[in-house]
């Protein structure tokens, strides 16, 4: 699928300067949302802003550099469970042409490599906002936790808690943890 995304007037330096002028102390930007489109030069998929658009620029790399130069903390939002473009990603129940694979396969093929790339190639990352970690196996959760703790120092990780709480409770019960302690 090709997209016609061409933000020709995008200027990372101006964008970051405006954010600082507004009093922002950090910037968190979407690296990949549920549609599966990566807003950076992903090595795990061609479904990204560099390979799938006529724009051919890595907006997140440009923002990362501008934030470093202007002293603004920088971070990402990343949808690690839902991906409507990958046959193992959750959320796409309408495309019957997909030959489905496990969600674990999706995470190991796409999400983990992209998260590693974001944490290692985009300068110091201050925040990483995970979204809707639903229906994830313990091994996937452990892998995502390991990669973020291994490749980051002082990283603030957040998530959409309304969706993660049932998953946390499920994992705690599976490991025999007492969830009724006061």
């Amino acid at each position: 699928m090709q997209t016609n995304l061409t933000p020709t007037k995008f200027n990372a330096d101006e964008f970051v300067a405006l954010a600082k002028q507004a009093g922002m102390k950090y910037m968190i930007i979407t690296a990949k949302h549920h549609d599966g489109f990566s807003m950076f030069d992903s090595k795990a998929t061609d479904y990204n802003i560099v390979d799938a658009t006529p724009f051919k620029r890595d907006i997140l790399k440009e923002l990362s550099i501008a934030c470093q130069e202007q002293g603004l903390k920088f971070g990402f939002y990343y949808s690690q469970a839902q991906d409507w473009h990958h046959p193992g990603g959750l959320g796409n129940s309408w495309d019957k042409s997909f030959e489905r694979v496990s969600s674990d396969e999706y995470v190991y093929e796409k999400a983990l490599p992209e998260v590693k790339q974001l944490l290692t190639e985009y300068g110091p990352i201050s925040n990483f906002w995970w979204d809707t970690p639903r229906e994830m196996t313990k091994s996937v959760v452990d892998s995502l936790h390991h990669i973020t703790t291994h490749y980051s120092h002082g990283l603030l990780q957040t998530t959409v808690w309304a969706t993660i709480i049932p998953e946390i409770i499920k994992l705690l019960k599976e490991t025999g943890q007492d969830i009724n302690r006061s």
Side-chain angles (χ1 to χ4, degrees):
M1 176 192 293
Q2 291 281 66
T3 180
N4 292 326
L5 180 66
T6 53
T8 55
K9 295 183 180 181
F10 176 77
N11 182 309
D13 292 323
E14 291 177 7
F15 197 82
V16 171
L18 184 61
K20 283 194 71 169
Q21 183 181 1
M24 292 175 62
K25 304 294 183 214
Y26 59 91
M27 179 179 293
I28 297 176
I29 191 149
T30 301
K32 182 186 79 69
H33 202 253
H34 306 331
D35 62 352
F37 187 78
S38 300
M39 289 295 292
F40 61 101
D41 190 12
S42 171
K43 294 176 184 173
T45 180
D46 290 338
Y47 191 51
N48 67 66
I49 193 166
V50 175
D51 296 320
T53 73
F55 190 58
K56 304 287 183 213
R57 286 171 42 198
D58 187 336
I59 287 176
L60 300 189
K61 179 66 84 174
E62 293 176 27
L63 284 170
S64 171
I65 292 167
C67 281
Q68 287 176 59
E69 290 173 352
Q70 296 184 46
L72 194 67
K73 292 180 180 179
F74 185 65
F76 298 112
Y77 159 98
Y78 189 88
S79 178
Q80 77 284 3
Q82 295 187 74
D83 189 312
W84 304 336
H85 191 257
H86 190 285
L90 300 176
N92 180 344
S93 58
W94 61 87
D95 189 345
K96 305 303 181 199
S97 69
F98 272 162
E99 187 172 322
R100 298 287 175 190
V101 298
S102 76
S103 60
D104 282 12
E105 188 172 328
Y106 150 71
V107 170
Y108 292 123
E109 283 180 1
K110 185 174 180 185
L112 275 170
E114 284 192 338
V115 170
K116 179 181 177 184
Q117 182 180 356
L118 291 168
L119 291 172
T120 59
E121 297 180 16
Y122 288 79
I125 306 301
S126 65
N127 301 66
F128 209 96
W129 181 328
W130 301 102
D131 194 6
T132 59
R134 58 182 228 215
E135 300 178 37
M136 297 176 74
T137 64
K138 184 176 183 327
S139 66
V140 163
V141 171
D142 289 346
S143 295
L144 289 167
H145 175 72
H146 172 75
I147 201 165
T148 52
T149 54
H150 180 75
Y151 288 106
S152 62
H153 304 285
L155 179 73
L156 174 62
Q157 297 183 66
T158 55
T159 189
V160 180
W161 284 104
T163 58
I164 193 173
I165 289 173
E167 296 296 322
I168 290 173
I169 291 171
K170 180 181 170 190
L171 283 173
L172 289 173
K173 286 180 179 178
E174 287 174 359
T175 59
Q177 300 293 317
D178 181 7
I179 63 168
N180 296 315
R181 281 189 263 170
S182 39

